[in-house]
Amino acid sequence: MVREQYVTTTQGSSVPTPVSEHVYKIGIYGWRKRCLYLFVLLLIIILVVNFALTIWILRVMWFNTEGMGHLQVHPDGVKLEDGESEFLFPVYAQEVHSREDSSLLVHSSENVSLNARNENGDVTGRISVGPKEAQGHTRNLLINSHNDNMLFTADGDQAVIGPDKLRVTGPEGALFQHSVEVPLLRSELFKDLRLESPTRSLTMDAPKGVHIKALAGNIEAASNMDVILQSSAGLCNCVVLLALPLLSTLSAVQLVLDAETVRMPSLPLSKGGDSGNTQGLYEVCVCPSGKLFLSKAGVTSTCSENQDC
């Protein structure tokens, strides 16, 4: 409490005249003082509780100078030394690596999705692995080997297989809905090669020729209707070692060799025949078993006389 006293003097007199005293009280008293103390006490309690919670969080989360528990923060990224990490929301990272002594495992109860975006935020590539299927959406798919050799690539127009050999191990083989272009089609060792079209036709085209060769077996052609061998320009050559087994296993109505010239240079020649034949003319004879052989031509047929069956 401050007491102020004002003294005045009368004009023409030096005797001071006493003035009434005024008292001003400065400070907080009563209920205001008690509320202030209560507020200060509440602030102190909140501060102590926050400090205790901070200490508890630091102890539980294992915060240290290098990071948080097994999660270490380095200038080049974040490294998890041991344990598993669980992300509840999307993760954005430039690179994700596993530890040197273990593999990288990504697990989810629903699906795992990887998205690639451009500078505008649009998705340019996507890989999604779900409980029933795996999907990928991209403009161009490229798979390389460990030495950076192309193994498989595919886009909207075509699919290319890089290795020299494509092996199909399924019991039903490979099913193609459209045409297939290959330089070599070969079966495994001691396995048969079958080209089959159950309900439509089967066509093999090549600008420089189609070669069918059996090194240690027969070549069989079975048809419900006609078997037609046609040459639009050139000769139709039939080697006897391949033609005889072919003719013996045909189950067609007729065999048509449609060409200007049909040659069978290796047909066996019968020992008999007309000795007076000096023009080198022969006739082709067929045995009941289907075997073909040549007999020297005469005035009449000599096949019955010189049977070499």
Side-chain angles (χ1 to χ4, degrees):
M1 180 176 65
V2 180
R3 176 177 294 179
E4 296 181 358
Q5 183 177 2
Y6 297 90
V7 180
T8 60
T9 57
T10 304
Q11 185 177 7
S13 176
S14 59
V15 179
T17 304
V19 184
S20 60
E21 297 180 353
H22 299 277
V23 179
Y24 298 94
K25 297 181 179 180
I26 300 176
I28 300 176
Y29 301 94
W31 64 271
R32 294 184 180 86
K33 184 176 182 180
R34 290 191 294 270
C35 290
L36 178 61
Y37 289 160
L38 181 61
F39 181 72
V40 173
L41 180 61
L42 181 62
L43 288 181
I44 295 175
I45 294 175
I46 294 176
L47 180 62
V48 172
V49 172
N50 288 337
F51 183 75
L53 290 177
T54 303
I55 298 299
W56 179 76
I57 292 175
L58 293 177
R59 293 292 302 275
V60 171
M61 301 301 293
W62 295 356
F63 279 102
N64 51 48
T65 57
E66 296 181 355
M68 182 178 62
H70 298 291
L71 188 64
Q72 299 181 1
V73 180
H74 300 279
D76 54 350
V78 180
K79 182 178 181 181
L80 181 63
E81 289 293 340
D82 192 10
E84 298 180 357
S85 58
E86 181 178 358
F87 302 96
L88 303 179
F89 296 98
V91 178
Y92 300 90
Q94 184 177 3
E95 295 182 2
V96 178
H97 299 274
S98 64
R99 293 187 294 269
E100 297 180 356
D101 56 346
S102 62
S103 59
L104 178 62
L105 176 62
V106 181
H107 175 73
S108 174
S109 59
E110 294 296 332
N111 59 0
V112 177
S113 300
L114 302 177
N115 297 333
R117 301 178 182 271
N118 56 11
E119 60 276 4
N120 298 326
D122 301 329
V123 177
T124 58
R126 176 185 303 168
I127 297 178
S128 178
V129 180
K132 295 183 178 180
E133 62 180 1
Q135 296 182 358
H137 302 273
T138 183
R139 295 181 179 178
N140 188 5
L141 176 63
L142 177 62
I143 301 176
N144 294 332
S145 62
H146 64 280
N147 51 3
D148 204 19
N149 291 332
M150 190 269 291
L151 297 179
F152 180 81
T153 179
D155 53 17
D157 298 330
Q158 63 179 355
V160 180
I161 299 176
D164 298 335
K165 182 184 298 183
L166 173 63
R167 183 178 180 182
V168 181
T169 59
E172 297 296 331
L175 176 62
F176 302 96
Q177 296 182 355
H178 301 284
S179 61
V180 180
E181 181 179 353
V182 292
L184 176 62
L185 189 61
R186 182 176 59 187
S187 65
E188 294 183 353
L189 296 178
F190 308 106
K191 299 291 183 179
D192 297 334
L193 176 62
R194 297 182 58 187
L195 302 178
E196 181 180 359
S197 179
T199 59
R200 293 296 183 267
S201 61
L202 179 62
T203 305
M204 291 186 294
D205 297 331
K208 293 186 178 181
V210 177
H211 302 275
I212 302 176
K213 185 177 182 181
L215 297 177
N218 300 331
I219 296 179
E220 299 181 3
S223 174
N224 188 33
M225 297 298 291
D226 300 337
V227 177
I228 300 175
L229 301 179
Q230 181 178 359
S231 176
S232 59
L235 306 178
C236 182
N237 298 329
C238 298
V239 181
V240 66
L241 294 179
L242 297 179
L244 292 181
L246 175 65
L247 295 178
S248 63
T249 58
L250 288 176
S251 59
V253 176
Q254 60 179 344
L255 174 64
V256 179
L257 303 177
D258 187 2
E260 296 181 357
T261 304
V262 178
R263 291 183 179 179
M264 298 181 182
S266 300
L267 289 179
L269 179 61
S270 177
K271 296 180 180 179
D274 188 2
S275 60
N277 186 2
T278 59
Q279 298 180 357
L281 300 179
Y282 300 90
E283 59 179 326
V284 179
C285 303
V286 182
C287 296
S289 61
K291 180 181 179 181
L292 300 180
F293 67 93
L294 296 178
S295 177
K296 292 183 180 181
V299 179
T300 60
S301 176
T302 59
C303 291
S304 59
E305 301 174 358
N306 305 310
Q307 289 188 4
D308 192 6
C309 297

